[in-house]
Amino acid sequence: MLFRNRFLLLLALAALLAFVSLSLQFFHLIPVSTPKNGMSSKSRKRIMPDPVTEPPVTDPVYEALLYCNIPSVAERSMEGHAPHHFKLVSVHVFIRHGDRYPLYVIPKTKRPEIDCTLVANRKPYHPKLEAFVSHMSKGSGASFESPLNSLPLYPNHPLCEMGELTQTGVVQHLQNGQLLRDIYLKKHKLLPNDWSADQLYLETTGKSRTLQSGLALLYGFLPDFDWKKIYFRHQPSALFCSGSCYCPVRNQYLEKEQRRQYLLRLKNSQLEKTYGEMAKIVDVPTKQLRAANPIDSMLCHFCHNVSFPCTRNGCVDMEHFKVIKTHQIEDERERREKKLYLGYSVLGAHPILNQTIGRMQRATEGRKQELFALYSAHDVTLSPVLSALGLSEARFPRFAARLIFELWQDREKPSEHSVRILYNGVDVTFHTSFCQDHHKRSPKPMCPLENLVRFVKRDMFVALGGSGTNYYDACHREEF
Ligand SMILES: *[C@@H]1O[C@H](CO)[C@@H](O)[C@H](O)[C@H]1NC(C)=O
Ligand SMILES: *[C@@H]1O[C@H](CO)[C@@H](O)[C@H](O)[C@H]1NC(C)=O
């Protein structure tokens, strides 16, 4: 009992520390029931703006920096935190690919000169970088489902190609892998020393940046990266919906969400003015500039500390960047309020969540396969999953974001299994809609697996407000 109290105290302390340092990175708002943390009310206000009484103070430059996720010192993370009598059963990891070159060019400007080869004496660096390159160059086609075997296994262009993973992106995932290895393999012994191929489940979309991100993470994670034990499945859909992608109502939600986005943009005269100015600078019609999605390219300039492009008419500058980035933040805020994206997300994320609980349930039955699942994906994968889980305050997935589901067994009550959900190292289990109130009733620092199962099988569809309580009905609802 004493031990448990001490554990809870430690947990509370760790949670407090993580809260102070990570809340800035994650939630605009973390409800804290008793403010015994000694912070002055002023500083508390700054860290946790109350969205009801004051608009969140969002600094576009600060937000952009978080999005870049520039590798620095080892971060604090809450993965793998559990009382001693809990045993880690399986881990399910969803990642966004690391830092990449833009997908679009700003018309009539020189594209940023970024080197996508991997070089040891260039920042950011990781001690495993060279070994990673040499190991990847021995890669074997047998490790990949077609058409993945036609993709390069690491970035290698002196001038990045569009969408190519950068050295920063590789380092971000080597770091993720190493962090997860220290926690899940060294500390919790998730895999036996003689682990085999079927204990991993690996899946990626068909882009080089997702495959390479997955490989970098695995290379940091696995104690011996044996090509014979690696098999990446190919996922054609960014929603990871496999055989269940057909869902007409989901598309209707998406259309309405896009309409909302469009109307919000029209209302923002400062944004329209900014696009107009930038269009003048690069000498194309405003419409064409907007269609080229300049923020994607500007973020690359920003994250790589490369100055924004200039022409003889002038320069794209930080003020333009701030206006567009601020609008993005506004857009995310309205997106949460209007709930259309939630509808899209519930239907978009159901198949992958359903697959995940299936994998968890098999593990609870003692199956020793697929103990570590890795889905190497995109912002458009993680974002709906976060939203469907009710993590609406979560920030838009930064480069190399990670969302993790941990499955635990209580050794004192072996029939009981629990889950923890972590986003970028922050424990968000009790922010999910399926476990929001649980910690008020139970002293356990995690959520019963049944809560998640019930949510995915049925309750998540309640958010849609229709009568459908399963995926098929919700996807084919007539009255929508
Ligand atoms: C960004 O670049 C400028 C010069 O172009 C340099 O002075 C500055 O130190 C750089 N910042 C970082 C963080 O690398
Ligand atoms: C959910 O998963 C189960 C197996 O675990 C499968 O039989 C069912 O078809 C899945 N449903 C959907 C909508 O993906």
Side-chain angles (χ1 to χ4, degrees), residues 29 35 57 74 78-79 91 104 110 118 125 189 208 219 254 266 334 339 386 401 403 419 424 458-459:
L29 171 78
V57 195
M78 298 286 284
E79 276 109 350
V91 172
Y104 309 87
K110 204 157 79 59
L118 303 179
Y125 177 62
K189 315 268 184 270
S208 65
Y219 192 76
L254 186 60
L266 287 192
E334 196 197 61
K339 311 260 178 191
L386 290 166
L403 175 66
V419 290
N424 297 331
R458 196 192 62 213
D459 293 354

Side-chain angles (χ1 to χ4, degrees), residues 285-428:
T286 309
K287 228 168 112 183
Q288 189 189 339
L289 178 79
R290 204 190 287 111
N293 195 11
I295 189 68
D296 185 55
S297 187
M298 290 165 87
L299 277 165
C300 173
H301 285 264
F302 178 85
C303 295
H304 289 266
N305 196 22
V306 174
S307 52
F308 295 124
C310 291
T311 68
R312 59 190 152 76
N313 301 334
C315 291
V316 175
D317 66 28
M318 201 60 183
E319 292 312 308
H320 299 134
F321 179 74
K322 284 186 192 165
V323 170
I324 303 181
K325 185 69 199 164
T326 301
H327 176 75
Q328 268 195 339
I329 297 167
E330 283 283 296
D331 180 61
E332 280 167 38
R333 194 183 48 72
E334 196 197 61
R335 187 169 97 173
R336 285 196 284 274
E337 276 166 18
K338 292 276 163 83
K339 311 260 178 191
L340 295 165
Y341 189 73
L342 177 65
Y344 167 77
S345 298
V346 163
L347 299 174
H350 176 77
I352 185 66
L353 288 172
N354 181 53
Q355 206 191 112
T356 300
I357 57 166
R359 213 159 260 136
M360 286 182 170
Q361 286 175 316
R362 291 194 292 278
T364 64
E365 291 157 8
R367 229 174 74 122
K368 288 283 172 241
Q369 280 128 36
E370 302 180 348
L371 303 181
F372 182 83
L374 174 66
Y375 308 89
S376 189
H378 302 269
D379 54 357
V380 291
T381 317
L382 264 65
S383 192
V385 174
L386 290 166
S387 171
L389 291 175
L391 298 169
S392 57
E393 294 292 327
R395 279 203 165 80
F396 189 79
R398 65 189 190 188
F399 287 131
R402 59 178 197 272
L403 175 66
I404 299 188
F405 293 58
E406 298 175 348
L407 177 66
W408 296 84
Q409 180 181 35
D410 188 345
R411 284 200 187 90
E412 291 171 357
K413 294 181 193 138
S415 63
E416 288 189 10
H417 287 83
S418 307
V419 290
R420 295 178 76 230
I421 315 286
L422 299 113
Y423 183 48
N424 297 331
V426 183
D427 183 350
V428 294

